[in-house]
Amino acid sequence: MTRRHRREMARRFIYKKGIRPKDLAEQLLVLEALEKDETLTSFDHFYALIAGAHKICEQVDLPRAKERAEKMWLHWPNVRSMPVGYGLRKDRTHLVFSYLNVAMNLDILSGGRRSNQWAEIVLQEVEKLNPRQMTPYLFNSNSNIVKALGLAALSFPQDVDRIHDISLKLVSYGIEINNPVFWWFFSRFRAPSHMTEVKPRAGFGSHLNTMRRVFALEEARYSRLGPDRQRALHKVADLCVAQANPVQKQALIGAVEKRSTFSDLP
């Protein structure tokens, strides 16, 4: 096939889960090859790495989770250095927090060796976000950002106040800049004529889940110390860990509960 056709097929494999073969070993083999495919961009390479990491985490493959967690740690400096671009798959913010989300879950699953380090990185990355460089895709990115912030709160419950504050600002700003710029065009040519014709956006369900996580952080923020704080943070964990299937969620919650930073809360 031509170089262009190869690139198009490779990108479909990375970004369209539905076209991948059912066999996980085959998926991972192809995704690992695409991490270095010369027809693809660095963004594509990292998303291939992320896609493989998600599959390993979903399968609760502990030996491979430990291996991939280390790989994610080693590649982080390269991800961090990526430039700001426009377009969902060229958006540095989207890439960074997609990466951090799965890296944190893999780390938790494999024993939480670097949970505090990842949590520090998440807080640093959030605090240095430049609103003037944010694109309308922040609305999409906020799902992973708030999940990562929730996991960071499990490592640093003393910082839950500022974590909740920044999550509110991110969600609010994501909605603000997601509105159509050319409203007059939208209202005349794309807006339905009656409310019965309005359909929730594809990302709206994800947005609702993001708000549930924000409310859980709010509950943790204002809960009393002791059992109330533990219950509130357990709810944060319940909403923020990866949960593509019940087995994965149970394994991650179990791993969270074993961590002293969570179980020994005041």
Side-chain angles (χ1 to χ4, degrees):
M1 65 180 71
T2 66
R3 184 182 180 89
R4 179 179 178 180
H5 187 216
R6 176 185 174 86
R7 182 170 60 248
E8 290 175 352
M9 293 296 293
R11 284 177 173 165
R12 287 188 64 202
F13 192 93
I14 294 170
Y15 301 118
K16 304 291 184 182
K17 293 184 287 186
I19 73 165
R20 298 177 196 159
K22 292 183 179 180
D23 183 75
L24 178 63
E26 187 177 348
Q27 282 193 43
L28 290 174
L29 188 65
V30 176
L31 287 167
E32 287 175 354
L34 294 179
E35 290 174 27
K36 300 178 181 179
D37 191 294
E38 62 179 11
T39 68
L40 298 174
T41 68
S42 294
F43 278 96
D44 297 324
H45 293 159
F46 289 132
Y47 277 113
L49 177 62
I50 290 168
H54 274 297
K55 287 301 170 184
I56 291 168
C57 194
E58 286 173 24
Q59 296 296 313
V60 194
D61 187 335
L62 295 182
R64 296 206 70 171
K66 291 180 180 179
E67 177 185 330
R68 183 56 64 102
E70 185 64 20
K71 188 174 183 179
M72 300 291 280
W73 178 256
L74 293 174
H75 277 284
W76 165 243
N78 299 322
V79 174
R80 182 179 54 198
S81 66
M82 291 298 286
V84 175
Y86 186 82
L88 184 60
R89 302 306 178 187
K90 296 179 181 178
D91 187 303
R92 181 189 181 278
T93 302
H94 195 77
L95 171 68
V96 162
F97 288 98
S98 295
Y99 193 93
L100 289 173
N101 178 49
V102 69
M104 294 177 87
N105 277 284
L106 278 173
D107 180 77
I108 291 170
L109 186 62
S110 56
R113 178 184 173 192
R114 291 196 173 95
S115 291
N116 286 1
Q117 289 169 285
W118 282 123
E120 287 177 359
I121 288 170
V122 167
L123 296 179
Q124 290 167 4
E125 286 294 324
V126 167
E127 288 175 348
K128 73 180 186 183
L129 287 174
N130 183 347
R132 292 186 176 181
Q133 292 180 334
M134 298 295 96
T135 74
Y137 296 108
L138 181 61
F139 182 85
N140 307 79
S141 303
N142 271 332
S143 175
N144 280 325
I145 297 176
V146 175
K147 281 187 283 189
L149 283 169
L151 296 180
L154 303 183
S155 288
F156 302 127
Q158 69 276 12
D159 292 329
V160 72
D161 287 24
R162 68 185 179 111
I163 289 173
H164 176 244
D165 276 340
I166 195 64
S167 68
L168 281 176
K169 291 177 181 178
L170 281 163
V171 173
S172 176
Y173 193 61
I175 294 171
E176 182 178 349
I177 65 175
N178 189 250
N179 290 330
V181 176
F182 298 107
W183 171 246
W184 64 268
F185 178 85
F186 180 87
S187 64
R188 287 163 177 75
F189 301 105
R190 298 186 61 185
S193 59
H194 196 277
M195 284 304 298
T196 57
E197 300 172 17
V198 174
K199 296 180 180 179
R201 292 176 56 172
F204 188 66
S206 177
H207 175 70
L208 288 177
N209 287 330
T210 296
M211 290 309 303
R212 292 184 181 104
R213 296 179 189 111
V214 172
F215 293 146
L217 285 167
E218 181 179 44
E219 185 177 336
R221 175 179 186 172
Y222 294 112
S223 63
R224 297 178 180 178
L225 297 181
D228 286 346
R229 172 63 66 87
Q230 288 188 4
R231 280 192 291 270
L233 284 170
H234 195 283
K235 185 176 181 179
V236 171
D238 185 71
L239 290 168
C240 292
V241 299
Q243 41 201 285
N245 58 68
V247 174
Q248 180 192 33
K249 181 175 181 178
Q250 183 178 359
L252 286 164
I253 290 293
V256 166
E257 291 173 343
K258 290 179 182 178
R259 288 168 49 192
S260 59
T261 52
F262 181 79
S263 59
D264 297 337
L265 288 171

